[in-house]
Amino acid sequence: MAIGSTLSEHLDAEVARDSSLADTARTILALAAASIDVSEICARGALAGDLGAQGETNSDGDVQKALDVIAHKRFTEALQSAPVAEVASEEADDVMVLNPGAPLAVAIDPLDGSSNIAVGMIVGTIFGIRPVVSDPNDPNASFKTPGTTQTAAGFTVYGPATTFVVTLGNGTRIFTLDRTDKVFRLTHDALKVVATANEYAVNSSNGRHWDVPVKAFIEDCLRGEEGPRDRNFNMRWTAALVADAQRVLIRGGIFLYPGDSRKGYEQGRLRLLYETAPIAFVMEQAGAAATDGQTRIMDVVATRIHERSPLVFGSTDEVACVAKYYEGRQPAAGRSPLFGQRGLMRS
Ligand SMILES: O=P(O)(O)OC[C@H]1O[C@](O)(COP(=O)(O)O)[C@@H](O)[C@@H]1O
Ligand SMILES: [Mg+2]
Ligand SMILES: [Mg+2]
């Protein structure tokens, strides 16, 4: 598809390739339209009111900000006009029923990176679309399938530009909002994340709570060319998963939000259905990897709609390297009896 083509044109091409994606494409268009509205609000910043004003607590224990609630309302309204039967939103305790009998279920984080709202920094929206599973005994059945059942996934980044990142299982693309025409235009076609990169993203203030493999991985990155990795690393952390994910898509690197020993953080901070599974689909379709450290995220099945999952994604060599640390095979000779010989990873 030519650079500059619209999201609509891309979706038409995807439906021409696979007609079973027609409902998914309509749903993506509804999400994109709502993204443009939320983008307009974000772009007004403080002129749009106190978007960071604190309200109620959501089911995951986060205090909702005004923009969390506005985005949840706007996206669920938009999905009402799409072939969507059920929505699992970060900002609703239970699965919401929209159009009974419709074929699709959507998991959505209406506003990702909430701690950035009050300071006017990057935020986003994350979504994953999957087929409805009807089970009269379980209102959550549609969401208890692995990430591999997603027909599409993506995220919007409300940054200096608003971007819409999407995959329908045929590569990952970035569309950038053309504010003049109010359409998303293709700017990054069929992304290919580099296999090796020297940049990592982690909230290191949690370092003392991490388990041994993650601590060792990050320590060895910090040791740079004097350590077993033999090269220097740079660190970036935007506190918005969407922004870190977009950076990894464009220039590679690795992102980690591992489980840690804080109460409630045993499975990290991010939620499987509307954060880690959609990001995993987008990453895999761009040639990158996404695991919980060891297990492929796309294979994980949720047992609850707000279930958390550790997340490690990015350049394949780096993600594979983290797995080696979990297996005790990293090149950290002499530092701990737990670990193997320096040089093992290079073999
Ligand atoms: O506050 P921390 O620990 O740095 O966590 C930041 C992470 O939490 C999140 O903000 C969670 O998403 P929400 O803002 O949607 O709850 C991610 O975007 C981000 O990667
Ligand atoms: Mg989020
Ligand atoms: Mg959120």
Side-chain angles (χ1 to χ4, degrees), residues 124-144:
T125 298
I126 310 173
F127 63 89
I129 304 172
R130 54 183 80 206
V132 163
V133 175
S134 298
D135 179 346
N137 300 315
D138 186 356
N140 298 340
S142 301
F143 298 99
K144 293 180 176 171

Side-chain angles (χ1 to χ4, degrees), residues 62 90 109 111-114 203 237 240-241 257 269 271 275:
D62 288 342
E90 180 187 352
D109 176 356
L111 206 289
D112 177 61
S114 295
N203 182 345
W237 182 251
L241 173 58
Y257 209 123
R269 160 149 181 65
R271 281 57 55 103
E275 291 178 318

